[in-house]
């Protein structure tokens, strides 16, 4: 079981519906300092992807797995994937994490592995709350603090489903 023992905090996401701001509680976000280190649970950010008429949010906290939430019509959030930790890891790596959808609504997440020194794309099935590796891992450089040295972003070409990955490194490294 990769789930860490943690205390949870109330986290809030704000969204604008065209006329006013709405707040939604994000369920089960780890409390700062409640995991294996004093900085466990620190919020590392989020990414958003549209899939058809649905909106999904990818969330990260230090020393925990990643979370995917669906934004409902009433601006509440429903858990899709909670605290997913890649196989062989003790936690997910928040740097460079991203989420996107193809033109048919299939969700994908780009996630890092600090122990293996790779980034992996995962296919997400919101109906089954499942995560599956997609394609081969992408080698990256992991720095001394456990973060990925390169900047990565990805997208999916709508016409042929080719995944486009842009990997930036330090000047002179390419």
């Amino acid at each position: 079981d990769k789930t860490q023992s943690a205390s949870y905090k109330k986290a809030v996401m704000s969204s604008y519906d065209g006329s006013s701001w709405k707040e939604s509680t994000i369920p089960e976000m780890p409390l700062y300092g409640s995991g294996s280190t004093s900085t466990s649970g620190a919020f590392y950010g989020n990414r958003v992807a549209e899939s058809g008429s649905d909106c999904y949010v990818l969330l990260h906290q230090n020393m925990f797995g990643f979370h995917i939430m669906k934004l409902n019509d009433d601006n509440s959030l429903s858990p899709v994937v909670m605290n997913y930790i890649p196989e062989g890891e003790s936690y997910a790596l928040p740097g460079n994490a991203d989420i996107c959808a193809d033109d048919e609504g299939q969700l994908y997440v780009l996630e890092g592995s600090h122990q293996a020194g790779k980034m992996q794309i995962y296919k997400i099935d919101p109906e089954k709350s499942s995560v599956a590796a997609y394609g081969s891992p992408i080698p990256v450089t992991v720095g001394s603090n456990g973060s990925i040295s390169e900047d990565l972003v990805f997208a999916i070409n709508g016409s042929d489903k080719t995944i486009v990955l842009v990997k930036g490194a330090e000047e002179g490294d390419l």
Side-chain angles (χ1 to χ4, degrees):
D1 182 5
K2 296 181 190 177
T3 304
Q4 295 184 15
S5 173
S7 299
Y8 294 95
K9 62 185 170 194
K10 179 182 176 185
V12 176
M13 182 189 78
S14 298
S15 58
Y16 187 72
D17 67 6
S19 61
S20 63
W21 285 95
K22 308 285 184 198
E23 288 190 345
S24 304
T25 299
I26 303 171
E28 297 183 20
M29 291 293 101
L31 185 63
Y32 187 81
S34 69
S36 60
T37 71
S38 62
T39 59
S40 294
F43 183 68
Y44 267 89
N46 59 43
R47 299 285 187 266
V48 178
E50 289 184 63
S51 174
S53 62
D54 295 326
C55 181
Y56 293 89
V57 182
L58 172 68
L59 299 151
H60 262 284
Q61 282 72 36
N62 190 35
M63 306 300 284
F64 286 90
F66 68 79
H67 309 267
I68 299 173
M69 305 282 181
K70 179 181 177 188
L71 181 63
N72 300 311
D73 291 337
D74 65 356
N75 286 327
S76 65
L77 294 166
S78 297
V80 174
V81 173
M82 296 299 290
N83 201 30
Y84 181 82
I85 299 170
E87 189 173 335
E89 295 292 329
S90 51
Y91 55 88
L93 191 60
N96 295 311
D98 205 356
I99 186 171
C100 70
D102 65 22
D103 61 350
E104 294 175 359
Q106 175 63 57
L107 284 174
Y108 299 86
V109 166
L110 176 66
E111 178 63 44
S113 166
H114 64 284
Q115 292 179 4
K118 66 179 182 177
M119 294 293 288
Q120 178 68 54
I121 295 173
Y122 295 94
K123 232 176 166 176
I124 309 298
D125 183 339
E127 299 300 318
K128 296 179 182 175
S129 295
S130 67
V131 179
Y134 184 76
S136 300
I138 302 111
V140 293
T141 305
V142 178
S144 59
N145 66 353
S147 65
I148 294 173
S149 300
E150 298 92 349
D151 288 325
L152 289 94
V153 293
F154 83 121
I156 300 172
N157 182 329
S159 62
D160 65 4
K161 306 294 185 257
T162 299
I163 293 180
V164 178
L165 179 76
V166 177
K167 179 178 172 183
E170 295 296 321
E171 186 175 344
D173 286 349
L174 298 177

